[in-house]
Amino acid sequence: MMGISWGGFNALQVAALRPPALKAIITLCSTDDRYADDAHYMGGCLLNENMQWGAILTLFSALPPDPHIVGERWREMWRQRLERLQPFPELWMRHQWRDGYWKHGSVCEDYAAITCPVYAIGGWADGYSNAVPRLMANLSCPRKGLIGPWAHLFPHDGVPGPAIGFLQEAVTWWDHWLKGRATGIMDEPLLRVWMQESVAPAPQYAVRPGRWIAEDAWPSARIRPLRFFLNPGHLWRDGAAPGGELSFSSPQTTGMRGGEWCGFGAEGEFPRDQRADDGGSLVFDSDPLDERLEILGATVITLDLRCNKPVALLAVRLCDVAPDGSSLRVTYGLLNLTHRGGHERPQPLVPGEWTQVRIRLNDIAHAFPAGHRIRLALSSSYWPIAWPSPAGAVIGVRTGQSVVDLPVRPPRREDDRLRPFQPPEAAPGTSYTTLHHFPTRRRLETDLTTNEVVYILESDGGEFGGASLARLEAIDLELGYTLIKRYRIIESDPLSAETELDQTTVLRRGDWSIRIECRMRLSATAQVFQLAGDLVASEGDATVARRDWRVALPRALV
C-alpha cells in the first residue's frame, strides 16, 4: 500500500491490522497521532485548519454521483446523501480532548502492531513532518524515513524544490520487499532529510537551498542539546543568572505573519518576516553566532511560568535573525496550558500559581549562519493558526531558570557520499482546458477605527493551475470550484474571533448541471463555540436540497 495524506493514514492503520497479504507500505504526509499531530488540535489548541478542512470535506461529501457511472438512480442516491449530511467541524469539535475517538486510528497507541516494512516520507513545509522521526524512533519493523523541503505533495511534484524521482525511489523499495531484489536500499541510513539553509523571509520559494544529510539511527546519539538560559531580552549560554519575572500579554493579532498551518504548494503560504509578530511577543536573542550552527530534530522549551487566567495558550517560535534585522521563522509549537499535564485530562491553571511546562517544537533541519542571532519568541496568541483563549491572559515567565535546548547536529563526511536521487518523473497529468482563470489572492485588511484585522484568501482550490472552471477532456466534464476564507479578530478582544468559509462548486456535462454553495462560520463566547452552516444544492435552476446548521458546542478548557 502507498498513499499521501489520508491515503498515508490508511496505509499505517491497515498495517497495524496485519493483513497477511500486506508486505510493505509507503506512507506520505501522514500522522501516527490523530489528536496531537493532525489538522484539528496542536498542543491542545484548536486549529483553524479544523474548520477549513471540515468545511471543504462537507462540501465534497455533498457532491452527487456521476450519472454516467451509476445511471438513473443518481438523483435518489444524491438526495439520501444530502439528507444525511453533517458538518464535519462539529464532529471533530465534540472531541476537544484526547479520547477514544482520536485513539482509534492513531497507530502511536501501539507501534508494535506494525510489523511490515514502512517507508515514511514528509516535507518540512507540510503539516505532518513530525510523524516521520517519531515512526523511526518507535517502530521496531524494518523502516526508512525521508523528509524533503516540500509541502503537502508527492516528492516528484515537490514544492519548494528540489523535487526528486519519488516514483523511482518507490520502485526501489517495492523491488526490495516484494521481489527480493538486491536494491541496496536497506543498507542506506535510516533517516534522510534536507538540511535547509537560512533564507530571507518570503511568501513562497521555488527552491529551498540546502543539502541532503542522513542519520543511521534515530534518535541519533550524534545530536546533543545546546542549552540557552532565558534572561531578560537575551539567550545566555553561560549558566543561570539571578532569577526574575517578565510578563507579557500579546495582541490577539499576533500570528498574522505565520502563514498556513500546512503548505500545499500554493503562493503565499510561507511565514512572512516575523518582526511584526515578534513585536507582540516576549523575545530573547542570542549573541551573534561565531560560527555556523546546524540543528536537526525538536527544540525543547522548559518554562517556569504563571498566568492570571485559568485558561490560556502559549505559542513559542524559534527564529533566525539576520544582521539586517529580518526574522525568519524556523519552527514553532503551541500549548494549551490547561494541557500541561497531558491531553486526556486537562486541568485549569490556578491563577498566580507558578508551574513548569515543557513545549516540544516541530522537528526541523536548519542551518543558522555565522553572524546571525537565534531568537525565541513567546506569545499568548497565535491567530489565525490557533483559536484564541476565552480571555486575554497575562503570562509571567521566571528568567534564569527557564531554558531552551536546541538539537545541534555536527556535520558528517558521509553525507557527501549519499546516493543521489534520480530526477522527477511522472505520467502525464489530467488533460483539461481552462475555461476561467482565478489566481490565488491573499491580503490583510485593517480597520483603523475598530482595530479589526481580517485575513482573506481567495482561491480556486489549486487543482487546475489557477483555473476556477476547467473541462476534463477524458470524461467531458466541466468542473469549477472557488473558495473564499476570512479570519477576523479585533486586536484586544479574543471573543471577536471569527472564521468564515464560502465555497462554490459546479459540475456540468451537456444538459446535466449541478451547483453547490456552502458557507460555514465559527465564532465563540467565553463558554461555547458557535458553528453556523448553510448548504444549497441545485440541479439546473431548481433547488434540490437546503441544509442549515446552528450548533453550540461547550468549550472544554479551550
Side-chain angles (χ1 to χ4, degrees):
M1 292 182 68
M2 64 175 278
I4 191 171
S5 197
W6 187 242
F9 290 30
N10 285 340
L12 286 170
Q13 293 166 2
V14 173
L17 299 176
R18 300 184 188 177
L22 185 59
K23 303 302 180 186
I25 68 170
I26 300 177
T27 177
L28 302 100
C29 302
S30 68
T31 187
D32 56 337
D33 191 332
R34 293 196 57 233
Y35 177 79
D37 204 13
D38 200 349
H40 314 289
Y41 299 92
M42 183 178 183
C45 302
L46 175 66
L47 295 172
N48 256 319
E49 189 73 17
N50 180 82
M51 179 65 172
Q52 174 171 306
W53 171 228
I56 292 171
L57 186 55
T58 301
L59 176 73
F60 287 176
S61 300
L63 292 170
D66 190 334
H68 278 197
I69 296 175
V70 303
E72 289 301 319
R73 60 195 183 104
W74 77 270
R75 283 191 182 88
E76 178 60 21
M77 294 173 66
W78 190 26
R79 183 188 64 78
Q80 293 179 5
R81 183 178 299 177
L82 291 168
E83 287 177 352
R84 298 169 183 171
L85 186 65
Q86 294 296 321
F88 282 93
E90 175 191 356
L91 169 63
W92 299 327
M93 291 173 66
R94 290 193 181 279
H95 301 273
Q96 295 173 33
W97 299 354
R98 184 184 178 85
D99 58 14
Y101 176 82
W102 300 113
K103 292 179 182 179
H104 176 74
S106 293
V107 300
C108 64
E109 293 293 312
D110 183 11
Y111 287 109
I114 299 179
T115 56
C116 74
V118 174
Y119 200 164
I121 299 175
W124 294 130
D126 183 32
Y128 291 101
S129 54
N130 295 325
V132 177
R134 274 201 308 271
L135 290 167
M136 296 305 101
N138 292 289
L139 291 176
S140 56
C141 58
R143 60 202 183 277
K144 280 185 67 67
L146 173 64
I147 307 175
W150 319 299
H152 199 73
L153 299 163
F154 282 104
H156 59 275
D157 296 322
V159 177
I164 65 167
F166 163 69
L167 298 179
Q168 302 96 305
E169 186 75 4
V171 169
T172 303
W173 177 259
W174 302 132
D175 279 352
H176 178 92
W177 291 111
L178 305 185
K179 296 182 178 181
R181 293 181 176 172
T183 65
I185 193 167
M186 296 309 294
D187 298 326
E188 297 176 356
L190 176 77
L191 178 63
R192 183 166 173 174
V193 307
W194 186 251
M195 175 61 71
Q196 300 186 130
E197 295 291 332
S198 181
V199 290
Q204 60 270 330
Y205 303 95
V207 174
R208 190 67 194 265
R211 74 186 195 283
W212 290 110
I213 64 170
E215 293 293 332
D216 295 323
W218 194 262
S220 171
R222 301 179 63 256
I223 296 174
R224 300 294 179 87
L226 176 62
R227 172 160 290 188
F228 289 88
F229 291 84
L230 277 59
N231 289 303
H234 193 216
L235 292 178
W236 202 19
R237 291 180 57 181
D238 299 326
E245 181 181 359
L246 297 175
S247 298
F248 62 98
S249 182
S250 303
Q252 297 300 322
T253 50
T254 305
M256 282 290 184
R257 311 290 287 185
E260 297 286 340
W261 170 79
C262 180
F264 288 88
E267 294 181 351
E269 291 178 335
F270 273 81
R272 308 310 203 266
D273 191 322
Q274 296 291 286
R275 280 179 282 193
D277 286 344
D278 292 346
S281 307
L282 181 63
V283 299
F284 303 86
D285 287 359
S286 73
D287 291 330
L289 296 174
D290 294 329
E291 58 186 16
R292 177 185 175 93
L293 180 69
E294 297 186 0
I295 63 171
L296 171 59
T299 295
V300 178
I301 317 298
T302 305
L303 298 174
D304 281 352
L305 60 78
R306 61 180 175 178
C307 182
N308 69 335
K309 303 292 183 184
V311 179
L313 72 81
L314 180 64
V316 181
R317 290 175 293 116
L318 186 72
C319 299
D320 179 342
V321 181
D324 66 0
S326 61
S327 179
L328 173 73
R329 196 188 73 190
V330 175
T331 183
Y332 76 105
L334 302 174
L335 180 63
N336 177 340
L337 293 175
T338 70
H339 288 236
R340 62 198 180 280
H343 299 308
E344 294 189 30
R345 296 179 181 85
Q347 296 294 323
L349 294 161
V350 177
E353 182 176 284
W354 288 99
T355 186
Q356 186 177 87
V357 302
R358 184 175 181 269
I359 304 178
R360 184 182 176 95
L361 307 191
N362 290 334
D363 287 76
I364 198 66
H366 180 81
F368 293 89
H372 285 218
R373 297 176 186 265
I374 299 170
R375 173 170 292 168
L376 188 72
L378 310 178
S379 62
S380 56
S381 61
Y382 206 52
W383 178 264
I385 286 180
W387 198 268
S389 304
V394 178
I395 299 175
V397 173
R398 187 177 278 156
T399 60
Q401 300 178 40
S402 298
V403 298
V404 53
D405 292 309
L406 272 63
V408 173
R409 178 193 187 266
R412 69 173 201 166
R413 295 176 181 175
E414 292 89 339
D415 293 338
D416 296 333
R417 299 193 292 270
L418 291 171
R419 169 180 60 89
F421 290 111
Q422 297 182 50
E425 293 181 2
T430 301
S431 177
Y432 65 90
T433 300
T434 297
L435 303 177
H436 187 268
H437 187 67
F438 188 84
T440 296
R441 301 183 183 93
R442 301 175 193 268
R443 64 184 188 273
L444 291 177
E445 296 181 352
T446 301
D447 187 326
L448 297 178
T449 62
T450 65
N451 271 343
E452 182 185 61
V453 179
V454 186
Y455 171 98
I456 302 169
L457 166 68
E458 298 171 333
S459 171
D460 69 310
E463 294 297 324
F464 301 108
S468 59
L469 183 64
R471 180 185 295 110
L472 308 187
E473 305 295 351
I475 56 175
D476 188 29
L477 178 70
E478 291 183 11
L479 173 63
Y481 177 80
T482 56
L483 164 70
I484 300 176
K485 176 174 68 175
R486 301 179 186 89
Y487 296 134
R488 303 176 180 274
I489 202 163
I490 294 174
E491 189 175 87
S492 60
D493 183 9
L495 298 182
S496 68
E498 181 180 291
T499 298
E500 182 180 84
L501 288 101
D502 291 342
Q503 302 171 84
T504 302
T505 190
V506 295
L507 302 170
R508 289 199 292 260
R509 181 190 291 122
D511 295 335
W512 186 63
S513 178
I514 301 296
R515 181 181 180 90
I516 302 175
E517 298 172 279
C518 180
R519 180 185 182 190
M520 282 195 178
R521 182 174 62 84
L522 182 65
S523 59
T525 68
Q527 291 77 36
V528 298
F529 289 108
Q530 298 167 322
L531 177 68
D534 304 282
L535 185 140
V536 178
S538 305
E539 180 186 0
D541 295 329
T543 298
V544 174
R546 184 184 298 272
R547 299 298 309 274
D548 299 299
W549 301 286
R550 301 292 183 271
V551 184
L553 301 160
R555 298 180 71 156
L557 299 179
V558 175

